[in-house]
Amino acid sequence: MKERTLTIIKPECVSQKHIGDIIQRIEKAGFEILGIRMVHLSPEEAKQFYLVHKERPFYGDLVNYMSSGKVVVVVLEKENCVEAFRKFIGSTNPEEAEPGTIRKDFGTNIQNNCVHASDSPENARTEISFFFSQRDLILNQ
Ligand code: ADP
Ligand code: MG
């Protein structure tokens, strides 16, 4: 069954001009782009988006990082999309990410790890609605 996920190209990849490379890799891997937008998150928005991590020691740094510059938010669709995209991007820590994954190729460290990706279909729906309305996505669901 077709499923959706949300990815965010993180500030470092945007400032290093890797948007095109990353989008090309995503498209070539068979993920369909349903919505795409550049935003500069406020610290409050980043805090809200990452609220599930509020007890983690890296929460403050993560919020600062994700609000430090422009990001590109993208809604993707594919069969088994959430799991397939997590596999495609590689492990959270780029040093441990599998060869050929975008976190391996474009990530710098465990924080600046190229992209965000939803971790479950339920969280994907919440995260997609954080940035996009149903109208934005054109296709209904
Ligand atoms: P993932 O992005 O792979 O789902 P998590 O949900 O565990 O990983 O963490 C969310 C984000 O927080 C990571 O993508 C990364 O930017 C940051 N992060 C995770 N673990 C650490 C850590 N140990 N130190 C610093 N930042 C971290
Ligand atoms: Mg996560």
Side-chain angles (χ1 to χ4, degrees), residues 48-60:
Q48 184 63 32
F49 184 81
Y50 280 111
L51 208 56
V52 292
H53 295 309
K54 68 176 189 302
E55 308 298 346
R56 309 275 289 273
F58 57 80
Y59 180 60

Side-chain angles (χ1 to χ4, degrees), residues 61-130:
D61 287 342
L62 179 61
V63 165
N64 287 339
Y65 173 58
M66 291 302 288
S67 56
S68 68
K70 289 181 283 189
V71 298
V72 176
V73 290
V74 190
V75 179
L76 300 172
E77 189 172 77
K78 195 183 199 287
E79 299 280 322
N80 193 32
C81 194
V82 171
E83 194 187 329
F85 191 71
R86 299 271 326 178
K87 190 157 186 234
F88 167 77
I89 65 174
S91 304
T92 305
N93 186 347
E95 282 173 18
E96 291 163 13
E98 301 66 22
T101 62
I102 57 173
R103 277 177 161 170
K104 182 75 169 181
D105 293 343
F106 299 106
T108 303
N109 56 46
I110 195 162
Q111 178 184 255
N112 307 2
N113 58 0
C114 176
V115 288
H116 166 84
S118 308
D119 63 5
S120 70
E122 190 191 351
N123 287 342
R125 281 189 286 277
T126 308
E127 291 180 0
I128 289 167
S129 62
F130 190 91

